[in-house]
Short mmCIF file of all heavy atoms in Angstrom, two decimals:
data_model
loop_
_atom_site.label_atom_id
_atom_site.label_comp_id
_atom_site.label_asym_id
_atom_site.label_seq_id
_atom_site.Cartn_x
_atom_site.Cartn_y
_atom_site.Cartn_z
N VAL F 80 13.75 -13.54 -7.59
CA VAL F 80 13.92 -13.04 -8.96
C VAL F 80 12.61 -13.04 -9.71
O VAL F 80 12.28 -12.22 -10.39
CB VAL F 80 14.98 -13.93 -9.72
CG1 VAL F 80 15.08 -13.49 -11.15
CG2 VAL F 80 16.32 -13.84 -8.88
N ASN F 81 11.80 -14.14 -9.51
CA ASN F 81 10.51 -14.21 -10.22
C ASN F 81 9.42 -13.45 -9.55
O ASN F 81 8.27 -13.38 -10.05
CB ASN F 81 10.16 -15.68 -10.33
CG ASN F 81 11.19 -16.45 -11.28
OD1 ASN F 81 11.66 -15.88 -12.12
ND2 ASN F 81 11.37 -17.69 -10.95
N GLN F 82 9.64 -12.91 -8.35
CA GLN F 82 8.61 -12.14 -7.59
C GLN F 82 7.33 -13.06 -7.46
O GLN F 82 6.22 -12.48 -7.51
CB GLN F 82 8.29 -10.96 -8.34
CG GLN F 82 9.40 -10.00 -8.64
CD GLN F 82 10.04 -9.32 -7.33
OE1 GLN F 82 9.31 -8.49 -6.77
NE2 GLN F 82 11.20 -9.60 -6.94
N ASP F 83 7.54 -14.43 -7.16
CA ASP F 83 6.38 -15.21 -7.23
C ASP F 83 5.83 -15.57 -5.71
O ASP F 83 4.94 -16.33 -5.56
CB ASP F 83 6.66 -16.55 -7.90
CG ASP F 83 7.91 -17.29 -7.39
OD1 ASP F 83 8.55 -16.76 -6.58
OD2 ASP F 83 8.14 -18.33 -7.88
N LYS F 84 6.55 -15.01 -4.70
CA LYS F 84 6.19 -15.29 -3.37
C LYS F 84 6.34 -14.10 -2.51
O LYS F 84 7.03 -13.11 -2.99
CB LYS F 84 6.88 -16.52 -2.72
CG LYS F 84 8.50 -16.31 -2.62
CD LYS F 84 9.05 -17.56 -2.33
CE LYS F 84 10.61 -17.31 -2.43
NZ LYS F 84 11.30 -18.41 -3.25
N GLY F 85 5.80 -14.06 -1.28
CA GLY F 85 6.07 -12.88 -0.43
C GLY F 85 4.91 -12.80 0.63
O GLY F 85 4.50 -13.69 1.14
N TRP F 86 4.58 -11.49 0.82
CA TRP F 86 3.61 -11.24 1.96
C TRP F 86 2.67 -10.02 1.56
O TRP F 86 3.03 -9.25 0.71
CB TRP F 86 4.33 -10.97 3.32
CG TRP F 86 5.24 -9.93 3.38
CD1 TRP F 86 6.64 -10.18 3.41
CD2 TRP F 86 5.09 -8.60 3.53
NE1 TRP F 86 7.26 -8.92 3.46
CE2 TRP F 86 6.40 -7.97 3.59
CE3 TRP F 86 3.99 -7.68 3.63
CZ2 TRP F 86 6.59 -6.51 3.74
CZ3 TRP F 86 4.23 -6.35 3.79
CH2 TRP F 86 5.51 -5.79 3.80
N VAL F 87 1.53 -9.97 2.21
CA VAL F 87 0.63 -8.86 1.99
C VAL F 87 0.25 -8.41 3.29
O VAL F 87 -0.15 -9.10 4.24
CB VAL F 87 -0.65 -9.49 1.24
CG1 VAL F 87 -1.73 -8.32 1.19
CG2 VAL F 87 -0.31 -10.00 -0.13
N TYR F 88 0.21 -7.07 3.38
CA TYR F 88 -0.17 -6.34 4.68
C TYR F 88 -1.52 -5.59 4.28
O TYR F 88 -1.55 -4.87 3.19
CB TYR F 88 0.74 -5.37 5.18
CG TYR F 88 0.15 -4.39 6.12
CD1 TYR F 88 -0.01 -4.71 7.47
CD2 TYR F 88 -0.31 -3.11 5.68
CE1 TYR F 88 -0.65 -3.78 8.28
CE2 TYR F 88 -0.98 -2.21 6.56
CZ TYR F 88 -1.12 -2.64 7.95
OH TYR F 88 -1.68 -1.73 8.79
N ILE F 89 -2.56 -5.73 5.05
CA ILE F 89 -3.79 -5.05 4.75
C ILE F 89 -4.22 -4.39 6.14
O ILE F 89 -4.22 -5.04 7.15
CB ILE F 89 -4.94 -5.95 4.24
CG1 ILE F 89 -4.43 -6.58 2.99
CG2 ILE F 89 -6.25 -5.18 4.13
CD1 ILE F 89 -5.35 -7.69 2.56
N GLY F 90 -4.49 -3.06 6.21
CA GLY F 90 -4.81 -2.50 7.35
C GLY F 90 -5.52 -1.14 7.15
O GLY F 90 -5.78 -0.72 6.09
N SER F 91 -5.78 -0.48 8.30
CA SER F 91 -6.54 0.79 8.25
C SER F 91 -5.73 2.01 8.42
O SER F 91 -6.28 3.10 8.48
CB SER F 91 -7.62 0.75 9.43
OG SER F 91 -7.04 0.69 10.66
N HIS F 92 -4.43 1.89 8.45
CA HIS F 92 -3.54 3.04 8.68
C HIS F 92 -3.46 4.08 7.64
O HIS F 92 -3.34 3.72 6.41
CB HIS F 92 -2.11 2.45 8.86
CG HIS F 92 -1.97 1.55 10.02
ND1 HIS F 92 -2.51 0.23 9.96
CD2 HIS F 92 -1.22 1.62 11.13
CE1 HIS F 92 -2.20 -0.37 11.08
NE2 HIS F 92 -1.38 0.46 11.81
N ASN F 93 -3.71 5.31 7.97
CA ASN F 93 -3.37 6.31 7.04
C ASN F 93 -1.84 6.70 7.16
O ASN F 93 -1.14 6.22 8.01
CB ASN F 93 -4.18 7.61 7.47
CG ASN F 93 -5.69 7.48 7.11
OD1 ASN F 93 -5.94 7.04 6.00
ND2 ASN F 93 -6.46 7.89 8.01
N PHE F 94 -1.30 7.46 6.36
CA PHE F 94 0.10 7.82 6.34
C PHE F 94 0.21 8.93 7.37
O PHE F 94 0.43 10.23 7.00
CB PHE F 94 0.71 8.27 5.06
CG PHE F 94 1.00 7.11 4.18
CD1 PHE F 94 0.50 7.04 2.90
CD2 PHE F 94 1.74 6.05 4.69
CE1 PHE F 94 0.79 5.93 2.09
CE2 PHE F 94 2.04 4.97 3.94
CZ PHE F 94 1.53 4.96 2.65
N THR F 95 -0.03 8.78 8.62
CA THR F 95 0.06 9.93 9.68
C THR F 95 1.05 9.38 10.77
O THR F 95 1.08 8.18 11.00
CB THR F 95 -1.21 10.31 10.24
OG1 THR F 95 -1.88 9.17 10.92
CG2 THR F 95 -2.14 10.84 9.12
N LYS F 96 1.63 10.24 11.53
CA LYS F 96 2.46 9.85 12.73
C LYS F 96 1.49 9.30 13.74
O LYS F 96 1.97 8.42 14.47
CB LYS F 96 3.18 11.14 13.14
CG LYS F 96 4.32 11.49 12.23
CD LYS F 96 5.11 12.68 12.67
CE LYS F 96 6.16 13.03 11.74
NZ LYS F 96 6.98 14.15 12.07
N ALA F 97 0.28 9.77 13.83
CA ALA F 97 -0.67 9.18 14.81
C ALA F 97 -0.94 7.71 14.49
O ALA F 97 -0.93 6.92 15.41
CB ALA F 97 -1.96 9.86 14.69
N ALA F 98 -0.96 7.31 13.30
CA ALA F 98 -1.27 5.95 12.96
C ALA F 98 0.00 5.06 13.03
O ALA F 98 -0.11 3.89 13.53
CB ALA F 98 -1.86 5.80 11.55
N TRP F 99 1.19 5.52 12.70
CA TRP F 99 2.48 4.78 12.58
C TRP F 99 3.35 4.94 13.73
O TRP F 99 4.35 4.31 13.96
CB TRP F 99 3.08 4.93 11.23
CG TRP F 99 2.35 4.37 10.09
CD1 TRP F 99 1.50 5.00 9.26
CD2 TRP F 99 2.38 3.07 9.73
NE1 TRP F 99 0.91 4.11 8.38
CE2 TRP F 99 1.48 2.98 8.69
CE3 TRP F 99 3.13 1.88 10.10
CZ2 TRP F 99 1.27 1.69 7.94
CZ3 TRP F 99 2.86 0.70 9.48
CH2 TRP F 99 1.95 0.53 8.38
N GLY F 100 3.07 6.04 14.49
CA GLY F 100 3.91 6.43 15.61
C GLY F 100 5.14 7.18 15.27
O GLY F 100 5.45 7.48 14.11
N THR F 101 5.80 7.79 16.29
CA THR F 101 7.00 8.66 16.15
C THR F 101 8.06 8.04 16.95
O THR F 101 7.91 7.33 18.03
CB THR F 101 6.81 10.04 16.56
OG1 THR F 101 6.17 10.08 17.87
CG2 THR F 101 5.67 10.70 15.62
N LEU F 102 9.32 8.14 16.57
CA LEU F 102 10.50 7.79 17.37
C LEU F 102 11.19 8.99 17.91
O LEU F 102 11.27 10.01 17.28
CB LEU F 102 11.48 7.02 16.40
CG LEU F 102 10.94 5.75 15.78
CD1 LEU F 102 11.99 5.23 14.84
CD2 LEU F 102 10.80 4.77 16.98
N HIS F 103 11.69 8.88 19.12
CA HIS F 103 12.36 9.87 19.87
C HIS F 103 13.63 9.31 20.56
O HIS F 103 13.47 8.65 21.61
CB HIS F 103 11.50 10.69 21.01
CG HIS F 103 10.31 11.18 20.34
ND1 HIS F 103 10.25 12.44 19.67
CD2 HIS F 103 9.01 10.82 20.36
CE1 HIS F 103 9.16 12.72 19.30
NE2 HIS F 103 8.27 11.73 19.63
N GLY F 104 14.76 9.38 19.81
CA GLY F 104 16.04 8.76 20.32
C GLY F 104 15.89 7.32 20.59
O GLY F 104 15.38 6.49 19.76
N ASP F 105 16.26 6.89 21.82
CA ASP F 105 16.19 5.58 22.16
C ASP F 105 14.91 5.09 22.88
O ASP F 105 14.76 3.94 23.39
CB ASP F 105 17.39 5.17 23.13
CG ASP F 105 18.67 5.35 22.44
OD1 ASP F 105 18.84 5.15 21.23
OD2 ASP F 105 19.76 5.50 23.15
N GLU F 106 13.99 5.98 23.03
CA GLU F 106 12.74 5.78 23.51
C GLU F 106 11.81 4.80 22.71
O GLU F 106 12.04 4.78 21.46
CB GLU F 106 11.96 7.06 23.76
CG GLU F 106 12.60 8.10 24.56
CD GLU F 106 12.67 7.68 26.10
OE1 GLU F 106 11.59 7.08 26.65
OE2 GLU F 106 13.64 7.77 26.78
N PRO F 107 10.97 4.12 23.36
CA PRO F 107 10.02 3.25 22.49
C PRO F 107 9.16 4.11 21.66
O PRO F 107 8.99 5.37 21.95
CB PRO F 107 9.18 2.56 23.53
CG PRO F 107 9.83 2.74 24.87
CD PRO F 107 10.72 3.99 24.76
#
Side-chain angles (χ1 to χ4, degrees):
V80 175
N81 296 325
Q82 305 285 295
D83 58 351
K84 60 187 175 233
W86 53 262
V87 175
Y88 164 84
I89 301 170
S91 63
H92 300 68
N93 287 315
F94 283 129
T95 62
K96 291 179 182 179
W99 289 95
T101 56
L102 296 173
H103 300 284
D105 293 334
E106 298 290 319

